[in-house]
Amino acid sequence: MCASGRVGVPTPEPDANEAAQARKASLWVQQWSRTLKAWRLYGPQNPTLEKFKSELAASLHALLDSHGTLKLRFTADAVLVRDHVVHEARTREDNLGQVFFRDGIHSVSLLPGIGRDELDSFLALIIRATNRASTSDEDLCTLLWDAELEHVDMNYVSAEMWLDLDEEGAAGQGDERAGARPPMAWPEGAAPSAPEPVALALVAPSGPSLPMAAAVPGAPSPPSRSEDWLACDPSQLLDDHVEELIAGSGPELERFRRERESEAALERSSAALSLLDDAHAAGLSAAEGAELRGFVERLLLETIARGDWPAASRAAAALRSDPVADGHAPECLAALTSPGSVVTAAAVQKLDHQGPAEVGAFLELVAALGPVALDWYLAILFESQQQRVRRPLARAIAEVARGQEARLESRLQDPRWYVVRNTLHILRFIGGDVAVPWLHDLLRHTDRRVRMEAIAVLGEAASPAAREVLLDALDAEDPRVQSGALYLLSAGRDPEVAARLLARVRAPEFLQASLDEQRTVLSGLGATGDDRLLPALVELLDPPRKPSRETESLLAGLARCIARLDTPASLAALQAAQGSRWPATREAATLALHAKGAR
């Protein structure tokens, strides 16, 4: 198995011949993609598809004649020739390399001399493996293996390596809260300005005992002549001013009605948060902040139960800004993390029925509360029934739990498999070697999904301790755990791994192992071994005594294992095995050399 393209391996400068081959291969791969689309659209018997296949075969023959063997490497969303990307998926339907990568096929080599029938069979197997209507468990690796295409060689480790993580996605980020209203009015504490002087005098009512009074101090005193007291009705001037106020009150009344309707439309919690913001803006003493803290915690619980994540984030921000809190967890979190919490159950139900924007707003709440509410985030994650909620939430928890990994260890002992698996998801997103000592026992967990997730976590840890755990996993009872560990250990030639695998091949019980386990071990042996293994492998391929029927079924895999060593000595050993006394040995060596393009 080739290890090119991995981090840390120097990439040689491409020469002109490689660049030319990459350009031609890119054109052929695009034509290959169009042919598969035409097959799915028109069906296998359509004349249009026949035209596509004929043109594809002609282009492939021209490419192989000019540049030799075409080796295609696959990643989750790209196809590469050497280190050149010749096809990159832009949509899910356009992802040509995904089926190979999903089923553990690292590369496929199309050898010179490939016929039209082999190419058609190759295309048909891809269509069969990607048929969504199929209910079988067949994978492309097994189909290609069983087809025994002479001029198609593949490099793989396991057909069942990849986990339910690479999907997708990502969840959307929360939009800004629409319809936000400005905070309610609050006294600013400014000194009132002096009133404008009003030159208005009221005429005193008639009578000898009621003198005239000025409405405004400083106004000129009216004449004291008695005949002026009866010059007008004393209430007339006041009525005139009232009529003026009524005449100009229309716009003010309309403004008052709008403001009142806006206030009435606000949720009680939103109005309370607006008042809280204004109170903080006006400045609060320590005693006032402590008095408001209990109110804010109740407000946080109410907004969480209602699923109003932006309002809950505002309440959480108010709690975090409280100097009295001093980094301690709010008391209300005890109500959220207690078993059977009504508020948490309501929050899970709301979250599972909300869209990506609301889920993004909840992730903002997680960031606002920080690590103090880690236990509550975990409770939400474990109870949610929607993967579109759990996946982004696990990533958000990983961000706030970084440095708090010890708080996750107890979750790995939980009897519920999904709790353990989701905790492993978080540890995988965090990365590093902190969780490695906890994973040894999980590789033998009763649930397969937990075992495979533990392997994925080990893949993120590049340390000697992680390597030791992976080496122990090679002896696990579950073939999937073995293949997963072997995939992570087979990044290059590794004598220690090769020695362990050779010991397993030599063991008598290896003949009774499943076909999939035999393929995995032999493929890994060819990827990690070197010429030092040749004497032992040649002895197994060409034994001094006639091989038994069980051994004959293993000879073809042994020959391919020797061919994958890809050295002159290994090819010479296969050519020598063509002269063996045993027909099964001669046939296995010949097929391996044909697949390698040698004679």
Side-chain angles (χ1 to χ4, degrees), residues 393-422:
L393 179 55
R395 291 186 179 273
I397 294 174
E399 291 300 321
V400 300
R402 203 176 300 276
Q404 308 276 334
E405 292 88 345
R407 297 174 62 183
L408 301 175
E409 182 181 4
S410 61
R411 301 303 196 286
L412 299 177
Q413 311 302 324
D414 197 286
R416 296 167 293 178
W417 69 266
Y418 57 89
V419 171
V420 181
R421 188 190 183 196
N422 284 323

Side-chain angles (χ1 to χ4, degrees), residues 486-564:
L486 183 56
Y487 171 79
L488 295 174
L489 291 169
S490 59
R493 303 299 176 185
D494 191 323
E496 183 179 0
V497 176
R500 288 200 177 206
L501 295 178
L502 180 60
R504 177 175 296 181
V505 173
R506 283 177 159 177
E509 57 269 16
F510 188 70
L511 295 174
Q512 280 71 45
S514 65
L515 184 60
D516 182 67
E517 183 179 352
Q518 291 179 353
R519 290 173 180 171
T520 299
V521 173
L522 290 174
S523 179
L525 183 58
T528 58
D530 52 25
D531 285 346
R532 287 173 289 185
L533 300 179
L534 273 178
L537 292 176
V538 170
E539 182 182 358
L540 293 172
L541 177 64
D542 190 10
R545 296 183 179 182
K546 183 178 180 180
S548 64
R549 182 174 300 177
E550 292 81 5
T551 306
E552 286 183 353
S553 64
L554 195 62
L555 295 181
L558 285 168
R560 281 191 289 268
C561 176
I562 295 175
R564 286 192 179 92

Side-chain angles (χ1 to χ4, degrees), residues 303-309 336 341-355 358-359 362 376-377 379-390 393:
T303 52
I304 287 175
R306 200 174 62 248
D308 188 356
W309 314 124
L336 293 174
S341 171
V342 176
V343 176
T344 299
V348 171
Q349 185 177 12
K350 292 284 185 181
L351 198 59
D352 281 353
H353 289 83
Q354 289 175 339
E358 289 80 4
V359 173
F362 180 78
W376 180 59
Y377 312 147
I380 293 286
L381 177 66
F382 298 153
E383 295 302 325
S384 175
Q385 302 299 314
Q386 298 294 329
Q387 188 182 57
R388 60 180 178 80
V389 174
R390 295 195 303 270
L393 179 55

Side-chain angles (χ1 to χ4, degrees), residues 5-6 9-14 83:
R6 294 184 179 270
V9 178
T11 303
E13 293 293 329
D83 293 324

